[in-house]
Amino acid sequence: MKNEYKITKDLIKSWAKEYYIHGSANIFLFIFWCVVGVVGVSGMFSSIAIYADWIATLLYALILIIAVFKLFIQRFIVCSKKYKFYSTTYGVTEWMRTTEFLDDEIVMTDHTSVSKLKYSNIQKIKEKNNVVIIFMNGNAALRLYKNAFIEGSWEACKKMILEKKKV
């Protein structure tokens, strides 16, 4: 089975909106930054209401800004840096990503870079609409698009992956 699609700057930007929370550590961090944001908002309004020193209001505003950054903005910056790194490394602004599911391994080719992955390293598979994310050991993830299979189909590929995981 083979999945192939073109990676563009807009595609990588769209990845920042997909599957933000995965795993217990990310859920903990998400909850933590939500709590920090609530503390920032409530502290800021409380310090304004009781006519506290302007430094207290400023401190709570800063806490709120940091929480908003961590919750909403940071992942877009990370995706932009990732795109810049790859486009500089490959020397092109767009490239093809090909993922082949062979009998003994998964081979991912990103322009000229080749990575080989083992089926035994697959932790979890998440599907949402046309997107499939295969989470691997070590916080790695493999992104596929159901309509981007040029050989086989997602249903057949998923069946093969699940069979390989049992072995």
Side-chain angles (χ1 to χ4, degrees), residues 146-162:
K146 292 178 184 177
N147 65 353
F149 276 89
I150 57 174
E151 292 176 12
S153 67
W154 166 240
E155 291 75 24
C157 183
K158 184 177 180 180
K159 182 180 177 186
M160 184 178 87
I161 289 171
L162 295 174

Side-chain angles (χ1 to χ4, degrees), residues 97 126 152 161:
R97 174 173 286 172
K126 284 193 175 184
I161 289 171

Side-chain angles (χ1 to χ4, degrees), residues 29 55 72 89 115 121 130 135-137 153 164:
L29 287 173
I55 292 180
F72 302 109
T89 301
S115 301
N121 288 335
N130 188 43
F135 294 99
M136 312 291 281
N137 289 340
S153 67
K164 298 283 184 188

